[in-house]
Amino acid sequence: MSEGPLAPVWDVPPEESAARASAARRAAHVWRRASVSQRVAALRGVWEAVRAKREEGLAVVREETGKSRDEAEILEFGPASLLVRYFLANASRILDERPAWTPWFFLNKRAAVRRLPRGVIGVITPWNLPFLIPFGDSFCAMLAGNAVLLKPSEWTTRTALWLEKTVAATGLLPEGLLSVVPGRGGAGEGVVDASDLVLFTGSLATGRRVAQRAASQLKPAILELGGKHPMIVLADAPLERAAAAAVWGACANAGQLCVGVERVYVESSVHDAFVAKVRARLAALRTDGPNADIGRFIFPPQLDRVQKQLDDARSKGAEVIGGEVLDRAGLRMAPALVLGARMEMSVMTEETFGPVVPVMRVGRAEEAVALANSGPHGLGASVWSADLEKAERLSTLLEAGIVGINEPATHYALGSLPFGGVKSSGLGRRHGDEGLLALTQAQAVLEHEWPADAPDPWWFPYEARKTALLRRLLGLR
Ligand code: NDP
């Protein structure tokens, strides 16, 4: 197991990217003829193969990311398993042709809505969950009848190539249905150009570029961008659970989760008790060895970015407990607790993406809600209270696509829940019925049944007698 990051995988020659795009396009033409139940059967077999080979996949993920085996299995393969279970069981309900309403005088006609595949879906993914995000998005895209051109982060391309190889080896899908395009930003641009819809996960800056490029070609783009999860801890919160959630929510995946807890607002009366519990839990985390709770950073510049936020907090008067660089070359740092955090500090406003728990004391819950809503982000947020009614009411005031009530952020694993952000955190949703439907196009069907060879009365010629009758039927009288 390598200690530090592996060298990134750079661009393949343009002609190879073009060949992969053509293979995906050809496969899309074949796959679109498969019925929903045929797709379900094939993709069930694909998942069985991926699951059976997961030790091999875990080794690649660990090599690229430095996660412990437990964390890689629980955060990458665990949610994938639940997503597969949900979507295989519900694909037919969501995607099959469904009858549509008609007025009574259309009783000789049938209306229905079909969900057609879009063609090729461009899936562009970041480095933080190199198996889960590429697999989950590709799986849903293929279930909806599409081919996939997958552009992984250059830092985690090996995992995507392992996935491509494992899927292809099943022989259950048309050749090239899942095609990986390795490379940097330019490869991502090529994927936008070669696909019919883009499903992008990454930073706001890149997301904006991707959306502009897609829009200039009149292609839709679903964007899952960064977050700044505010956790609001009320005076009556279940403190043990809240403290454990703050630590797990902020430090799981070494803090590199878009829905991870990024700032905590605590009502004054329980601030000290909450902080004591968080502090004890942070101190108990293992930062070394194969079973470390806190892994390394995946993207090398991330260590300095997080340290810069801690320096900024210190310089503005916060107390930072922990947070030392443990191994610069190995990209490891100790988890940090930031006390006395204030909104002037970058650690409270900019995405941290590191194992940091900044805590700010607030007077009242409403103040916390206003602070939570004050920034540009709107992905995850949570409210913690023993009074579920109060917590539910406050959660409706949060400008976030995903809210937890005494829950940090496990939403992604539940295929039944639409996942995505508001404000600068994204556009559109993945998962849920609407997420799967977004990967299709609606085709409206109207079929005339009988009498087979007679015109409809509202066709030519227009006549006063017919118009009078139609006026009544149409409710215009
Ligand atoms: P980036 O935005 O830098 O990159 C995302 C992907 O886009 C990478 O594959 C990248 O390639 C590619 N890319 C870069 N430039 C272009 C371009 N011009 N056109 C098309 N594609 C391009 O994000 P990171 O990889 O740094 O990931 C971290 C970010 O992702 C964080 O902000 C995090 O919050 C967010 N994220 C959001 C999630 C969500 O669901 N909302 C989930 C996980 C992460 P390359 O890396 O090779 O440059």
Side-chain angles (χ1 to χ4, degrees):
M1 185 78 37
S2 151
E3 272 300 299
L6 298 176
V9 175
W10 299 124
D11 302 67
V12 294
E15 54 280 10
E16 197 177 324
S17 296
R20 285 164 184 253
S22 303
R25 183 63 61 188
R26 278 195 305 276
H29 287 307
V30 177
W31 188 236
R32 65 179 296 127
R33 299 206 183 101
S35 66
V36 175
S37 57
Q38 286 169 328
R39 287 181 230 152
V40 165
L43 287 166
R44 178 171 284 123
V46 166
W47 168 246
E48 288 308 325
V50 169
R51 189 172 62 166
K53 293 213 158 177
R54 78 179 175 287
E55 282 308 328
E56 204 180 280
L58 280 167
V60 184
V61 169
R62 294 187 65 201
E63 198 181 23
E64 285 196 309
T65 64
K67 299 180 198 198
S68 71
R69 194 199 168 285
D70 288 353
E71 185 155 76
E73 187 166 30
I74 290 169
L75 293 188
E76 303 259 13
F77 285 77
S81 178
L82 289 181
L83 286 175
V84 165
R85 202 185 303 172
Y86 176 78
F87 281 114
L88 290 183
N90 287 278
S92 183
R93 175 183 63 75
I94 301 169
L95 297 174
D96 277 346
E97 181 174 313
R98 62 173 171 76
W101 172 88
T102 54
W104 70 263
F105 53 90
F106 272 44
L107 77 173
N108 55 344
K109 299 179 193 294
R110 183 182 75 86
V113 181
R114 285 186 191 136
R115 305 305 311 197
L116 299 187
R118 286 188 178 265
V120 175
I121 305 286
V123 174
I124 304 179
T125 56
W127 35 259
N128 63 337
L129 292 163
F131 172 76
L132 177 60
I133 298 177
F135 173 80
D137 286 352
S138 301
F139 184 87
C140 289
M142 294 189 291
L143 190 59
N146 304 286
V148 173
L149 266 184
L150 169 61
K151 155 67 183 88
S153 164
E154 75 231 32
W155 293 95
T156 51
T157 300
R158 293 168 180 85
T159 305
L161 290 171
W162 173 81
L163 176 63
E164 181 190 51
K165 182 184 77 179
T166 307
V167 168
T170 64
L172 292 168
L173 304 176
E175 198 182 332
L177 194 72
L178 171 59
S179 288
V180 174
V181 180
R184 287 174 279 182
E189 290 176 1
V191 164
V192 174
D193 297 349
S195 40
D196 303 296
L197 176 145
V198 185
L199 186 44
F200 172 86
T201 307
S203 63
L204 172 60
T206 311
R208 188 172 274 137
R209 278 204 294 280
V210 165
Q212 281 166 350
R213 193 174 184 98
S216 73
Q217 301 172 47
L218 291 182
K219 293 174 181 174
I222 299 170
L223 308 175
E224 304 284 354
L225 309 174
K228 191 70 194 165
H229 184 140
M231 174 175 181
I232 300 177
V233 181
L234 303 184
D236 62 353
L239 279 198
E240 209 55 65
R241 181 172 168 80
V247 171
W248 183 75
C251 300
N253 216 37
Q256 303 160 112
L257 289 176
C258 53
V259 287
V261 171
E262 288 253 334
R263 48 191 166 138
V264 188
Y265 300 104
V266 189
E267 276 193 321
S268 200
S269 62
V270 289
H271 175 273
D272 294 354
F274 174 78
V275 162
K277 287 182 191 298
V278 169
R279 195 170 173 169
R281 286 183 177 274
L282 284 175
L285 293 179
R286 292 162 299 183
T287 54
D288 212 2
N291 295 324
D293 297 308
I294 310 282
R296 68 163 169 83
F297 287 112
I298 301 163
F299 181 50
Q302 202 58 26
L303 176 62
D304 285 336
R305 285 185 194 164
V306 176
Q307 289 294 318
K308 206 168 140 210
Q309 286 196 357
L310 296 182
D311 289 343
D312 173 72
R314 275 189 209 96
S315 74
K316 291 174 180 159
E319 182 188 357
V320 178
I321 300 166
E324 310 83 15
V325 175
L326 300 172
D327 172 4
R328 175 156 290 282
L331 301 176
R332 288 179 179 275
M333 68 171 265
L337 175 61
V338 180
L339 298 179
R342 295 197 321 273
M343 295 307 284
E344 300 80 58
M345 300 170 182
S346 57
V347 78
M348 292 299 279
T349 54
E350 293 169 17
E351 191 175 45
T352 303
F353 237 54
V356 178
V357 189
V359 181
M360 179 169 166
R361 189 191 287 270
V362 292
R364 292 173 55 243
E366 287 70 16
E367 185 193 341
V369 171
L371 292 171
N373 290 340
S374 62
H377 299 99
L379 188 56
S382 57
V383 183
W384 299 74
S385 168
D387 181 343
L388 293 183
E389 245 175 67
K390 182 169 63 172
E392 281 171 20
R393 187 171 46 75
L394 282 177
S395 72
T396 64
L397 304 176
L398 287 167
E399 294 166 3
I402 294 155
V403 292
I405 295 159
N406 298 332
E407 262 304 319
T410 318
H411 307 61
Y412 191 98
L414 305 186
S416 54
L417 293 178
F419 184 97
V422 302
K423 300 199 286 187
S424 294
S425 285
L427 272 184
R429 295 289 181 270
R430 57 152 72 89
H431 302 170
D433 291 10
E434 64 199 270
L436 195 60
L437 290 174
L439 303 173
T440 67
Q441 307 222 55
Q443 185 179 57
V445 183
L446 192 54
E447 185 173 310
H448 177 78
E449 292 178 328
W450 53 267
D453 197 17
D456 281 329
W458 45 87
W459 296 355
F460 297 136
Y462 298 138
E463 288 167 3
R465 190 181 51 84
K466 282 199 323 186
T467 303
L469 175 65
L470 285 169
R471 195 175 290 132
R472 277 210 292 281
L473 290 178
L474 295 169
L476 296 174
R477 203 160 45 116

